[in-house]
Amino acid sequence: MSNVQTKLRITQIPGDGTGPEVSAAMRHVIEATGLPIEWDIQEAGADVMPKHGGNPLPDDVLESIKRNGVGIKGPLTTPVGTGFRSVNVALRQALDLYANVRPVTSLDPKNKFQDVDLVIVRENTEDLYAGIEFEQGTREDQEAIEFLSKLSGKKIRSDAAIGIKPISIFGSRRIVKFAFDYALKNGRKKVTAVHKANIMKYTDGLFLKVAQEVAKEYEGRIAFEDRIVDNMCMQLVIKPELYDVLVLPNLYGDIVSDLGAGLMGGLGLAPGGNIGEHGAVFEPVHGSAPKYAGQNKVNPIATILSGAMMLRYLDKQAEAEKVERAVREVILEGKTLTYDMGGHAGTREVGEAIADRVRSY
């Protein structure tokens, strides 16, 4: 019997700003596991727009992920208020990566929050992030204002910009089922649906109703409860140990997952994955921090842990555990950490320290 392992072909998007640096550290660590990997490098973001007719997400990137079934990306810059829409959002929508999974786990012994161990499951394709907006003052905006004013019976100011919040039964059901199935597969005990149904009775109300219906299918196996999103934020700061798996619509999931990163000790530690029926893309939660680009300064651990999540998705559990164990041990040792964790090491040095630990197992 041959011991030769089939190569894992993985789409890799380095990102921009500090993305290429944290991505290089991640590759170094993942390769240290000894798995045979062929990286299919693809470029996206603002830097490639001139070569692709102003498109920050070239078709080649999407085709690569479809072909390989899995990808990992560094952070990409999204302009605030102007410019192109988020490549991250476009990627999730184009590939229907409907479930965003963000583990929140205590890693840093110096952090004020300890014994935190929960998972945030965020719907990735609907809600306000569907991108249905009308720019203030345009003909489309004025038509939307007129139509919605008549439809709702409520006067909307003529100088308003308009955004639409679609929440569907289909989208809500599949993300809640994903959360319950994730809980079952990973030995979790409870799912909490997070919403604002007390105010948005038809959109968030629908999400909550569907969540309650799905919960009945898992009765006796997984506990269920719901929380209003603002109360949920307070609860996570006061008693995060009471929560296990949270499932949220898109916007709340984005906000609460950053709160979760704060519980961990910062965005530099927070990994994430975007998962659909036919593929997945993993990425750190943090942004591209362009002001630090090329300075060998930023923390690569979030990207490295995203790589570990990717290995688990590929059913390489032993290798994923080695990476996660190495991260924990390097943090606990405290000798090779970046500035945000009170250390003086650079991006490359942290990656090398974690890779050395992986190779030692």
Side-chain angles (χ1 to χ4, degrees), residues 85 89 93 125-134 162-166 250:
R85 289 195 177 275
V89 173
Q93 291 177 343
T125 64
E126 298 192 323
D127 199 1
L128 290 168
Y129 281 25
I132 306 171
E133 288 190 293
F134 302 96
I162 298 293
I164 306 294
K165 175 188 171 83
N250 207 337

Side-chain angles (χ1 to χ4, degrees), residues 45-301:
D47 293 345
V48 306
M49 290 173 67
K51 294 188 293 184
H52 295 276
N55 181 9
L57 182 59
D59 290 341
D60 288 349
V61 178
L62 298 175
E63 291 305 315
S64 171
I65 297 169
K66 290 176 183 177
R67 184 170 59 248
N68 298 324
V70 65
I72 186 164
K73 60 177 285 297
L76 289 166
T77 304
T78 301
V80 177
T82 60
F84 59 87
R85 289 195 177 275
S86 167
V87 174
N88 302 322
V89 173
L91 191 62
R92 296 164 192 166
Q93 291 177 343
L95 298 172
D96 198 25
L97 305 176
Y98 68 90
N100 181 255
V101 180
R102 295 184 176 179
V104 179
T105 308
S106 298
L107 294 170
D108 186 352
K110 300 187 299 295
N111 186 35
K112 66 178 68 175
F113 294 97
Q114 295 297 318
D115 301 319
V116 179
D117 182 18
L118 57 92
V119 178
I120 295 170
V121 176
R122 164 191 171 193
E123 202 289 320
N124 238 356
T125 64
E126 298 192 323
D127 199 1
L128 290 168
Y129 281 25
I132 306 171
E133 288 190 293
F134 302 96
E135 183 180 358
Q136 189 275 325
T138 62
R139 178 177 59 82
E140 293 82 3
D141 177 61
Q142 294 305 303
E143 289 176 354
I145 288 172
E146 182 179 349
F147 173 73
L148 292 171
S149 295
K150 289 180 179 177
L151 189 66
S152 66
K154 297 178 181 179
K155 180 175 175 55
I156 301 173
R157 289 184 59 92
S158 61
D159 59 353
I162 298 293
I164 306 294
K165 175 188 171 83
I167 300 282
S168 72
I169 294 174
F170 172 80
S172 299
R173 180 172 178 80
R174 71 174 179 175
I175 195 63
V176 175
K177 279 189 67 64
F178 182 98
F180 274 94
D181 289 340
Y182 181 97
L184 280 175
K185 183 178 179 180
N186 292 278
R188 299 280 174 167
K189 305 300 182 185
K190 181 174 67 174
V191 171
T192 304
V194 185
H195 59 87
K196 191 68 177 175
N198 58 324
I199 302 298
M200 283 168 279
K201 300 182 184 299
Y202 300 127
T203 49
D204 285 28
L206 178 63
F207 180 83
L208 176 58
K209 178 185 175 183
V210 170
Q212 292 167 335
E213 291 171 352
V214 171
K216 293 177 182 177
E217 301 173 20
Y218 296 83
E219 202 164 357
R221 295 180 291 167
I222 301 293
F224 173 75
E225 64 185 8
D226 71 275
R227 292 286 184 272
I228 294 172
V229 62
D230 40 342
N231 178 49
M232 184 78 257
C233 292
M234 180 188 71
Q235 295 283 329
L236 286 176
V237 173
I238 294 174
K239 41 192 173 184
E241 69 278 1
L242 296 184
Y243 298 95
D244 200 347
V245 176
L246 310 182
V247 61
L248 310 91
N250 207 337
L251 177 61
Y252 308 146
D254 192 9
I255 295 168
V256 172
S257 60
D258 270 24
L259 189 157
L263 296 178
M264 293 179 71
L267 289 169
L269 297 172
N274 305 285
I275 302 171
E277 296 295 334
H278 305 292
V281 176
F282 297 85
E283 61 183 347
V285 172
H286 62 73
S288 59
K291 68 179 181 179
Y292 294 129
Q295 297 179 32
N296 187 40
K297 186 173 183 178
V298 299
N299 193 342
I301 288 178

